[in-house]
């Protein structure tokens, strides 16, 4: 389905999976609609159609169910400030100015209509972002509570009018609920929570239990209100990322700096970021040097020193130096915007467990209605039971059986985990990926840029006739101006040691051998041992040292001064700082680890020994893909970790592909999951989060079904009635949601 045949809406007031189910069922039945995806946490509705879809009709259908709705994207950009799309993430990454979010979109309620107009549709799904008592849902709950309190007061003073007072108190809350129930039934969802609630309340009135009916309606509204507050917390967790990006930026044009809206910055623009300011856009440093606090984006606790030509991300904090940046991504496509978009889309992708619960609930709810009816009818008919007593029990069972807690048990936990992971730089594309990570039994890693830093460093300086500092100084003089990775390693080491690098003359590169030149009247040659052996004789001691360094996977360059060996420099792409501990965590969890690399066997095995990991070297991309397939054929559930480009075939072949990167397009879009700050330990964190999530889901299902089972038995034997029944339902729903929200905290 092309994006041209998709419509995306912001829906206000969805607080649980039951809400999403009603909307999905209603919209799916409309002409021209081919597929529907509803995300409770993101507050979005995505409709795929055959080209004949009518956005106005779809919006009207959703509004008829009691929700505020407006199109996301360009159409929403012109909507009033009260629109539910103030925070517009459309399907094309059109994030607009997400630094200006007031989060009103999550429960928008306007679109040019008055409050009274919305009330005609029973819109009690008000915004949960402000104080709860200012929301429509909060006001309705308060009104119902006040009416109930007045009914109790009047009933105490004038007992004769008590039934009528409780009837009126019940009507305050029940009328909007009943309207929503009827609209949902007409749209294809006859067994909604509102319908069950309406039947139970009306049935209670029929058997003269008006006091309990009024109390049950009030408790139901309290439960819905608590659900809304909890859902708002989960929704705000990821949306709060949008507030990290500043609203304004200092644009530099023709030598003049002026303040502009950050969302207007174009790719290629030059901006100034002062010390202590948040960086307003993704960019590359043109001039300056500073410690960048990337914790808001990657979770990295230690500021990272960055200089010219190094990338920085929107939302991170500039430390101690002024920076000039060249903007590399528009506001709609910067790191924060893409993370938000990725997580929102991920929340729309259901996990296998969630899909099973959805299917189960479709049969479970009608089954509950049948069981409740049988409990109400059979004992009086077959055993001479008292009708009012058994109808009362049937109504209680009807309330106990409401599936809200069960249905929300999985998506609430998954949404919380996706949000928690995103805030720590762990991105997972959907519930299926999150669930699958916990099932991995083997993880295959690329070497360069994944297990290692991706760039060589000088690891050893061997002195023969000159001091180590002098060897480094002369070698750096020869390499000045070169962009070769080994040359950059030497220059970085010289800079780190504060060495003043002299000027070199007559520099020339010797193809495939090294570089030669003159420094302070000395003729220098920096070359490979093989090339050096053609020019001078290398003594046995030096040869042994070179062989030992090569065996350790290091590249060796010899420095010759006036035709004599002065010393040597050894370089290697070193393992990441946390690679050893990260791999150990995986092995301790019973997960097999293996390195798949195209590098030469000697270098790969040296790194493998240092990291205690199984090694397969000198592989082509198709070899990596083949090995992943072989591991899967052995019965292993395989994760593949790589850079997302050279490893693309293997990433696709694995059960779960994980890209390493610092917020690049590849890291965010190629694989099933991505770790933004490139730490090996993050793979173990991701797997641990998956296992925590599945454990939380198990707890939620136990809470949901366990409470229902207990109250079902106590109701049938006459211990509990309508009040405990509604508490069993709304209480379980709130408990399940709050339990899921524990996943928002870092373990």
């Amino acid at each position: 389905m092309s994006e041209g045949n998709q419509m995306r809406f912001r829906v206000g007031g969805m607080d649980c999976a039951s809400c999403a189910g009603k909307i999905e069922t209603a919209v799916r039945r409309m002409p021209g609609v081919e597929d529907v995806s509803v995300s409770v946490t993101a507050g979005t509705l995505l409709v795929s159609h055959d080209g004949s879809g009518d956005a106005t009709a779809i919006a009207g259908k959703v509004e008829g169910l009691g929700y505020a709705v407006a199109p996301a994207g360009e159409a929403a950009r012109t909507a009033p400030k009260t629109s539910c799309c103030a925070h517009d993430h459309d399907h094309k990454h059109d994030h607009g100015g997400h630094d200006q979010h007031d989060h009103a979109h999550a429960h928008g309620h306007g679109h040019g209509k008055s409050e009274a107009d919305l009330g005609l549709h029973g819109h009690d799904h008000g915004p949960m972002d402000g104080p709860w008592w200012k929301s429509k849902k909060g006001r309705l709950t308060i009104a119902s509570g006040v009416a109930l309190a007045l009914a109790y007061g009047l009933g105490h003073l004038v007992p004769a009018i008590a039934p009528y007072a409780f009837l009126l108190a019940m009507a305050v809350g029940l009328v909007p609920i009943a309207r929503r129930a009827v609209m949902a039934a007409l749209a294809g969802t006859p067994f909604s929570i509102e319908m069950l609630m309406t039947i139970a309340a009306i049935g209670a009135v029929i058997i003269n239990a008006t006091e309990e009916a009024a109390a049950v309606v009030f408790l139901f509204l309290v439960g819905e209100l608590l659900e809304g507050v909890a859902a708002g917390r989960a929704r705000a967790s990821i949306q709060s990322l949008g507030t990290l990006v500043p609203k304004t930026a200092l644009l530099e044009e023709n030598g003049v700096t002026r303040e502009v809206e950050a969302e207007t910055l174009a790719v290629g623009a030059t901006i100034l970021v002062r010390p202590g300011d948040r960086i307003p856009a993704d960019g590359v440093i043109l001039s300056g040097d500073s410690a960048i606090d990337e914790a808001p984006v990657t979770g990295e606790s230690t500021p990272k020193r960055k200089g010219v030509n190094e990338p920085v991300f929107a939302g991170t904090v500039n430390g101690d130096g002024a920076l000039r940046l060249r903007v590399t991504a528009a506001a709609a496509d910067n790191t924060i915007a893409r993370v938000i978009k990725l997580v929102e889309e991920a929340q729309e992708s259901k996990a296998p467990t969630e899909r099973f619960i959805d299917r189960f609930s479709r049969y479970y709810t009608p089954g509950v209605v049948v069981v409740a009816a049988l409990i109400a009818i059979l004992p009086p008919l077959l055993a001479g039971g008292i009708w009012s007593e058994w109808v009362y029990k049937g109504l209680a069972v009807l309330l106990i059986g409401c599936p809200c807690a069960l249905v929300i048990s999985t998506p609430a936990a998954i949404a919380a985990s996706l949000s928690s992971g995103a805030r720590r730089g762990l991105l997972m594309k959907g519930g299926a990926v999150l669930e699958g990570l916990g099932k991995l039994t083997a993880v295959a890693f690329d070497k360069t840029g994944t297990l290692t830093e991706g760039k060589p460093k000088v690891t050893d300086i061997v002195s023969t006739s000159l001091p180590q500092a002098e060897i480094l100084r002369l070698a750096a003089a020869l390499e000045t101006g070169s962009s070769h990775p080994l040359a950059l390693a030497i220059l970085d080491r010289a800079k780190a040691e504060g060495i003043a690098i002299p000027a070199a003359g007559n520099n020339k590169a010797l193809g495939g051998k090294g570089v030669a030149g003159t420094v302070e009247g000395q003729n220098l040659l920096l070359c490979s041992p093989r090339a050096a052996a053609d020019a001078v004789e290398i003594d046995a001691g030096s040869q042994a040292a070179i062989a030992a360094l090569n065996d350790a996977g290091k590249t060796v360059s010899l420095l010759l001064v006036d035709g004599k060996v002065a010393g040597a420099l050894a370089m290697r792409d070193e393992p990441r700082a946390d690679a050893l501990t990260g791999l150990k965590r995986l092995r301790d969890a019973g997960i097999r680890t293996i390195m798949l690399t195209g590098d030469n066997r000697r270098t790969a095995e040296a790194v493998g020994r240092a990291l205690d990991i199984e090694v397969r070297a000198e592989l082509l991309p198709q070899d990596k893909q083949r090995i992943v397939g072989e591991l899967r054929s052995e019965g292993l559930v395989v994760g593949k970790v790589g850079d997302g480009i050279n490893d693309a075939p293997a990433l696709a072949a694995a059960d779960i592909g994980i890209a390493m990167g610092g917020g690049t397009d590849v890291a965010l879009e190629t694989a099933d999951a991505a770790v933004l700050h490139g730490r090996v330990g993050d793979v173990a964190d991701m797997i641990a989060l998956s296992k925590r999530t599945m454990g939380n889901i198990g707890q939620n299902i136990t809470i949901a079904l366990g409470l229902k089972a207990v109250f079902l038995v106590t109701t049938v034997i006459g211990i509990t009635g309508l009040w405990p029944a509604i508490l069993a339902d709304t209480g379980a729903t709130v408990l399940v949601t709050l339990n899921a929200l524990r996943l928002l905290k870092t373990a």
Side-chain angles (χ1 to χ4, degrees):
M1 183 62 60
S2 67
E3 287 190 359
N5 286 337
Q6 288 182 330
M7 293 181 287
R8 192 177 181 88
F9 300 85
R10 285 285 166 186
V11 181
M14 288 192 296
D15 294 333
C16 67
S18 175
C19 298
K22 285 181 287 187
I23 293 171
E24 180 176 346
T25 300
V27 175
R28 195 179 292 277
R29 291 157 59 100
M30 297 186 69
V33 173
E34 296 183 339
D35 195 20
V36 179
S37 178
V38 185
S39 171
V40 175
T41 305
T44 58
L45 165 65
L46 181 64
V47 180
S48 299
H49 58 95
D50 60 9
S52 63
D54 186 340
T56 302
I58 291 172
K61 177 67 72 173
V62 177
E63 286 188 341
L65 294 173
Y67 302 91
V69 63
E74 294 300 326
R77 205 177 291 277
T78 58
K81 290 296 183 182
T82 54
S83 139
C84 65
C85 304
H87 180 350
D88 55 287
H89 302 284
D90 76 343
H91 195 65
K92 299 179 181 178
H93 294 226
D94 190 0
H95 293 249
H98 54 78
D99 52 293
Q100 301 181 31
H101 303 159
D102 57 8
H103 307 299
H105 76 279
H107 301 271
H109 56 93
H111 319 299
K113 297 178 178 67
S114 69
E115 295 290 316
D117 293 333
L118 294 175
L120 291 175
H121 296 295
H123 284 238
D124 57 356
H125 297 280
M128 287 282 98
D129 299 299
W132 64 267
W133 59 86
K134 291 186 178 180
S135 67
K136 279 180 170 288
K137 188 175 294 185
R139 293 198 299 268
L140 179 61
T141 304
I142 292 171
S144 178
V146 170
L148 181 61
L150 289 173
Y152 271 112
L154 291 173
H156 180 72
L157 294 174
V158 188
I161 67 169
Y164 305 103
F166 284 116
L167 184 63
L168 288 174
M170 181 197 71
V172 171
L174 186 63
V175 169
I177 294 171
R179 284 177 175 170
R180 285 157 48 198
V182 171
M183 294 303 295
L186 294 175
T189 308
F191 297 108
S192 65
I193 175 72
E194 289 87 356
M195 183 62 76
L196 299 185
M197 183 67 238
T198 302
I199 293 172
I202 293 174
V205 171
I206 292 173
I207 61 173
N208 296 318
T210 53
E211 178 179 343
E212 285 193 85
V216 163
V217 169
F218 172 66
L219 290 173
F220 174 79
L221 292 173
V222 170
E224 278 210 324
L225 179 63
L226 292 175
E227 288 175 35
V229 173
R233 281 189 59 192
R235 183 179 291 119
S237 173
I238 186 61
Q239 291 168 353
S240 63
L241 284 173
T243 64
L244 294 175
V245 181
K247 297 180 180 181
T248 61
L250 296 176
L251 177 66
E252 184 179 297
E253 288 181 321
N254 302 319
V256 178
T257 301
R258 60 189 178 89
E259 190 171 77
V260 299
E261 294 291 327
E263 66 178 19
T264 65
L265 292 174
V267 175
T270 300
I271 59 175
L272 174 67
V273 183
R274 297 168 298 196
D277 285 354
R278 283 194 183 273
I279 295 173
D282 285 2
V284 172
I285 298 175
L286 296 176
S287 64
D289 181 276
S290 183
I292 308 297
D293 180 5
E294 297 186 337
V297 175
T298 67
E300 180 65 62
S301 59
T302 304
K304 186 180 296 184
R305 199 83 197 176
K306 293 195 175 185
V308 176
N309 293 328
E310 292 192 271
V312 294
F313 310 124
T316 57
V317 181
N318 184 23
D320 51 9
L323 299 175
R324 290 176 65 250
L325 309 178
R326 175 174 55 81
V327 176
T328 56
D333 296 309
N334 66 35
T335 301
I336 294 290
R338 283 182 285 138
V339 167
I340 293 173
K341 181 65 169 66
L342 182 67
V343 176
E344 286 191 345
E345 289 183 344
Q347 290 169 348
E348 294 169 8
S349 173
K350 293 184 178 180
T353 301
E354 184 177 355
R355 291 196 295 269
F356 170 77
I357 293 295
D358 284 349
R359 291 195 299 271
F360 176 74
S361 66
R362 291 172 193 165
Y363 301 98
Y364 168 86
T365 308
V368 166
V369 174
V370 171
V371 169
L374 293 176
I375 289 174
I377 296 172
L378 292 184
L381 287 179
L382 302 180
I386 300 172
W387 276 99
S388 61
E389 176 185 339
W390 285 100
V391 169
Y392 181 88
K393 291 180 179 181
L395 295 174
V397 169
L398 197 64
L399 292 177
I400 291 169
C402 290
C404 278
L406 180 64
V407 172
I408 202 173
S409 61
T410 301
I414 287 175
S417 289
L418 291 172
S419 299
S420 175
R423 298 191 69 84
R424 296 156 57 191
L426 313 176
L427 303 181
M428 294 152 281
K429 294 185 177 179
V433 174
L434 176 61
E435 186 171 329
L437 281 162
K439 299 177 182 177
L440 294 180
T441 55
V443 178
F445 290 86
D446 181 33
K447 180 182 79 70
T448 304
T450 300
L451 290 175
T452 66
E453 295 287 354
K455 58 182 181 179
K457 294 181 178 179
V458 174
T459 59
D460 303 87
I461 302 176
V462 180
S463 175
T464 302
S465 62
L466 292 176
Q468 291 184 354
E470 184 65 8
I471 293 169
L472 182 60
R473 187 177 78 94
L474 296 177
L478 287 177
E479 297 289 18
T480 299
S482 173
S483 59
H484 190 280
L486 296 180
L488 295 176
I490 293 171
L491 292 169
D492 286 345
R493 177 67 177 268
K495 180 181 178 182
E497 295 192 5
I499 291 176
I501 302 174
N506 303 317
N507 277 23
K508 59 180 178 179
L510 307 176
K513 296 181 179 180
V515 60
T518 303
V519 176
E520 298 173 345
Q522 303 173 94
N523 293 319
L524 307 181
L525 173 64
L526 185 65
C527 60
S528 66
R530 180 176 297 178
D534 294 337
V536 299
E537 183 177 348
I538 303 175
D539 62 77
S542 296
Q543 289 181 7
I546 292 168
L549 291 169
N550 284 334
D551 288 342
K554 298 175 181 179
T555 300
V556 179
S557 294
L558 293 183
L559 177 67
L560 277 58
V561 179
D562 292 330
K564 296 180 181 179
V565 177
L569 297 101
M571 288 155 282
R572 187 175 71 178
D573 181 12
E574 289 292 272
R576 292 181 182 271
D578 78 318
L580 184 61
T581 55
L583 291 172
K584 183 178 185 302
R585 287 178 58 197
L586 291 173
R587 289 193 298 272
D588 289 347
I591 297 173
R592 179 180 173 185
T593 58
I594 181 172
M595 178 199 296
L596 305 180
T597 179
D599 209 344
N600 69 80
R601 188 171 304 279
R602 185 166 60 179
T603 299
E605 289 180 347
V607 174
R609 285 193 298 273
L611 297 178
D612 191 20
I613 186 174
E614 179 183 345
V615 175
R616 305 277 187 93
E618 299 177 354
L619 303 175
L620 296 173
Q622 56 265 37
D623 295 324
K624 297 180 183 181
Q625 182 183 32
R626 173 180 53 79
I627 291 171
V628 168
E630 290 172 355
L631 292 171
R632 294 184 68 192
S633 67
E634 294 174 15
L636 296 170
V637 182
V638 183
K640 175 66 177 73
V641 186
D643 62 11
I645 301 176
N646 298 329
D647 293 296
L651 286 168
D655 293 283
I656 302 289
I658 304 171
M660 295 281 262
T664 62
D665 286 335
V666 167
L668 289 174
E669 296 171 11
T670 301
D672 301 306
V675 289
L676 285 187
H677 39 57
R679 292 189 303 219
V680 177
D682 285 347
V683 178
D685 287 342
M686 201 176 273
I687 292 171
L689 179 61
S690 170
K691 291 180 177 179
R692 281 182 63 214
T693 304
M694 297 313 297
N696 188 280
I697 289 172
Q699 295 165 8
N700 285 347
I701 293 174
T702 301
I703 291 170
L705 294 181
L707 279 175
K708 291 181 185 302
V710 169
F711 280 93
L712 177 63
V713 173
T714 57
T715 297
V716 172
I717 63 178
I719 296 176
T720 56
L722 288 177
W723 289 31
I726 193 64
L727 287 175
D729 173 58
T730 59
T733 302
V734 172
L735 284 176
V736 161
T737 305
L738 293 177
N739 187 48
L741 290 178
R742 292 191 304 114
L743 293 168
L744 290 172
K745 299 179 181 178
T746 303

